[in-house]
Amino acid sequence: MRRKIDEVDKWKPFTDSSGQEYDLSHLDAHEASYSDIRNGKKETYTFMVSYSFHCFAKDYSHQTEEEKASLMYHARKESRPFCFVRYELSKKYLRRIVDAFGDKKTRIGHAGYGSYASVTINTEEEGQVIYFVPFKMYREKKLMRIHITSAYPEKVMPKLNKVNFFNIAKNLRFGQPPPKPQK
């Protein structure tokens, strides 16, 4: 039985004006476990992961009001136009990035406002792409949570102060504040 969480746990598909349906089930909430070995001891951290609709929706200033209206996706808290670029990136890469948060090769850094982020992916089509994935880690009652607040391509690599994913997880488990960025 899945526990109730404070964010959307199951996304309804987006249907465009021609009736084409875009499945969003790859962004449904799920459990993810990450293991770390320190001092010869294995520690496993299990999180419930959820995704914001900012992973597949974006309001662009170049769009007309008619275009925006035809692409509007209505979520629980707000509405925004569906974005095909964000959708495709999320469908192809986002879950793989989230699953790799605990890997040493995955770059995690402080993104400001209590968020962390992972960036850059290697795509088959375009080579390396800067894909900015800000997320929050927190406790919700007794549940350890990761909420992906957005995911989008960037032109320039953002500056991130590196942080160890497992240091955040360990602090969460023991009710301690997360690591602060180094100045």
Side-chain angles (χ1 to χ4, degrees), residues 145-156:
R145 295 273 285 111
I146 294 174
H147 181 65
I148 309 301
T149 57
S150 193
Y152 51 90
E154 280 281 19
K155 297 207 183 304
V156 177

Side-chain angles (χ1 to χ4, degrees), residues 1 15 18 21-22 24 31 50 53-54 57 59 61 63 65 78 91 108 129 135 137 148-149 158 160 173 182:
M1 185 176 104
T15 305
S18 69
E21 191 173 277
Y22 296 84
L24 293 166
E31 273 191 4
S50 59
F53 87 136
H54 294 267
D59 188 351
S61 59
Q63 292 173 314
E65 291 305 314
E78 60 183 305
K91 190 172 155 188
I108 305 269
V129 172
F135 60 95
M137 292 174 67
I148 309 301
T149 57
L160 295 174
R173 178 178 278 168
Q182 294 178 1

Side-chain angles (χ1 to χ4, degrees), residues 114-179:
S115 291
Y116 305 96
S118 175
V119 294
T120 67
I121 52 173
N122 291 314
T123 68
E124 297 157 6
E125 308 83 28
E126 301 173 52
Q128 194 171 63
V129 172
I130 299 168
Y131 188 36
F132 194 65
V133 181
F135 60 95
K136 298 234 182 228
M137 292 174 67
Y138 57 98
R139 288 189 72 101
E140 182 181 339
K141 299 179 179 133
K142 293 184 179 181
L143 195 61
M144 291 184 44
R145 295 273 285 111
I146 294 174
H147 181 65
I148 309 301
T149 57
S150 193
Y152 51 90
E154 280 281 19
K155 297 207 183 304
V156 177
M157 176 70 78
K159 183 177 181 342
L160 295 174
N161 292 319
K162 193 171 166 84
V163 64
N164 183 300
F165 177 82
F166 290 108
N167 288 346
I168 305 166
K170 182 179 175 188
N171 285 12
L172 270 179
R173 178 178 278 168
F174 294 113
Q176 297 173 349

Side-chain angles (χ1 to χ4, degrees), residues 13-65:
F14 171 70
T15 305
D16 70 14
S17 56
S18 69
Q20 170 77 35
E21 191 173 277
Y22 296 84
D23 180 38
L24 293 166
S25 63
H26 64 284
L27 297 174
D28 289 349
H30 60 91
E31 273 191 4
S33 292
Y34 307 93
S35 294
D36 184 30
I37 298 175
R38 289 190 187 190
N39 303 324
K41 246 175 118 175
K42 182 177 177 181
E43 287 287 331
T44 300
Y45 301 89
T46 301
F47 288 85
M48 180 60 72
V49 181
S50 59
Y51 301 84
S52 162
F53 87 136
H54 294 267
C55 297
F56 63 86
K58 171 74 174 135
D59 188 351
Y60 291 101
S61 59
H62 68 270
Q63 292 173 314
T64 66
E65 291 305 314

